[in-house]
Amino acid sequence: GKPPAWLSRSAAEPVLPPHGLGRAADMAEEGGDSLAAINDQIRASGKAAEGGAWLPLESNPEVLGAFARRIGLPEAWTFVDVLGLDSELLGLVQGPVAALILLFPCTERIFAARAAQDAALRAGRGAATEELFFMRQVPNFGNACGTIACLHALTNSRHILQMAGDAPLEAFVRSNLDAAPEARGQALLTAEALKAPSDDAAVDTSAQTPCPHRDGPPLDHHFVAFVRTPEGRLVELDGTKRCPVDHGATTAETFLEDAAAAVRASYVAADPDVHGFALMALAAAG
């Protein structure tokens, strides 16, 4: 059937900057939301750093799958659309599910919800305490936040996916295991073994919209990942947040419903009348 109205197929359509980004960027200078600051920096520069920016990935399971397969995702796993957040539509996803990727619109209300969450994190509430492979989204990365969300989903599900030891992603993790999130983000910027497959996937024939240029206008959507950690926690990873966010306990059997509940509470409830959300699950291939 037709996906619900709040679901969006693609984030690869350049649009005008949403209202409220400037105010959010001012907040970022005080340790708040760096997503707005990154968007503003890309916008102000007029173009991405030379040789730096990665091409944006479309919110499309075939596109993410093409990228993930090139860097080590086993054939037993694939990305699929999640058509909605109610139990009936979640039930259409064949389990098990290792991770969830959310695309959300950058609206003023969602920025406000992120600001409230960041205040809680600064106060010591809600941060994940488990050791995870978390990368900072550095400004020179450009519009390719979908790549970082995909990498967060894959790198923090390695205990489930069982990638080959010689996979390009495994090599990147080993090389940066002891690095800080900012250093990992900088390393990713020049990791050609990951960048080339990402750019190839961005222009793959499975993409349903034209890929924006590296130096194109900022997009008004952002990707984040939700994973089930080795210790059984539901954790959100967003390279523009100060740290991974713990959303509570979860299990292999309840992960998809638990992650959907976190999406409803943290994102949809913040701006329930807006369209432009999309969800993809990293699930076992049927």
Side-chain angles (χ1 to χ4, degrees):
K2 184 179 180 181
W6 66 272
L7 288 169
S8 171
R9 158 53 56 205
S10 173
E13 187 72 24
V15 297
L16 294 175
H19 177 70
L21 278 181
R23 187 175 66 185
D26 291 340
M27 181 187 66
E29 294 178 0
E30 301 172 359
D33 199 327
S34 65
L35 170 57
I38 287 173
N39 279 350
D40 281 352
Q41 181 169 340
I42 295 171
R43 185 178 301 111
S45 68
K47 63 178 184 177
E50 182 178 353
W54 296 31
L55 294 174
L57 292 182
E58 181 180 88
S59 176
N60 181 325
E62 292 185 24
V63 172
L64 289 192
F67 169 50
R69 198 77 65 205
R70 288 178 170 103
I71 62 174
L73 179 67
E75 293 290 336
W77 294 88
T78 188
F79 282 98
V80 298
D81 278 319
V82 180
L83 298 181
L85 295 173
D86 60 63
S87 296
E88 181 180 354
L89 292 174
L90 293 175
L92 298 176
V93 178
Q94 300 299 309
V97 173
L100 192 72
I101 291 180
L102 168 69
L103 172 78
F104 66 87
C106 296
T107 70
E108 187 170 359
R109 289 180 178 179
I110 287 178
F111 271 124
R114 286 167 59 92
Q117 182 185 68
D118 189 69
L121 293 172
R122 293 201 308 272
R125 301 188 304 274
T129 57
E130 194 170 345
E131 188 66 31
L132 299 167
F133 195 84
F134 178 59
M135 295 172 284
R136 189 77 61 206
Q137 182 174 335
V138 297
N140 288 351
F141 202 78
N143 288 331
C145 56
T147 298
I148 291 184
C150 185
L151 291 174
H152 273 148
L154 296 172
T155 56
N156 292 286
S157 300
R158 289 157 47 247
H159 59 293
I160 301 171
L161 303 176
Q162 301 298 313
M163 292 185 185
D166 61 352
L169 184 57
E170 287 285 359
F172 178 79
V173 171
R174 286 194 300 269
S175 298
N176 295 277
L177 199 58
D178 296 326
E182 179 75 20
R184 290 170 180 167
Q186 291 292 344
L188 178 62
L189 193 63
T190 56
E192 189 60 29
L194 302 183
K195 182 178 186 295
S198 178
D199 283 355
D200 288 345
V203 297
D204 192 273
T205 55
S206 60
Q208 297 182 14
T209 60
C211 181
H213 297 297
R214 299 175 196 274
D215 300 334
L219 308 182
D220 72 335
H221 290 71
H222 186 63
F223 288 89
V224 299
F226 292 83
V227 302
R228 175 171 59 88
T229 71
E231 295 181 8
R233 307 297 296 180
L234 170 61
V235 173
E236 174 188 350
L237 296 113
D238 177 349
T240 67
K241 290 186 176 180
R242 66 179 58 247
C243 62
V245 179
D246 190 310
H247 289 279
T250 191
T251 67
E253 294 74 24
T254 65
F255 169 75
L256 183 57
E257 288 193 0
D258 294 338
V263 169
R264 281 194 298 267
S266 297
Y267 290 93
V268 179
D271 205 346
D273 297 324
V274 72
H275 294 179
F277 294 89
L279 286 169
M280 291 173 288
L282 177 56

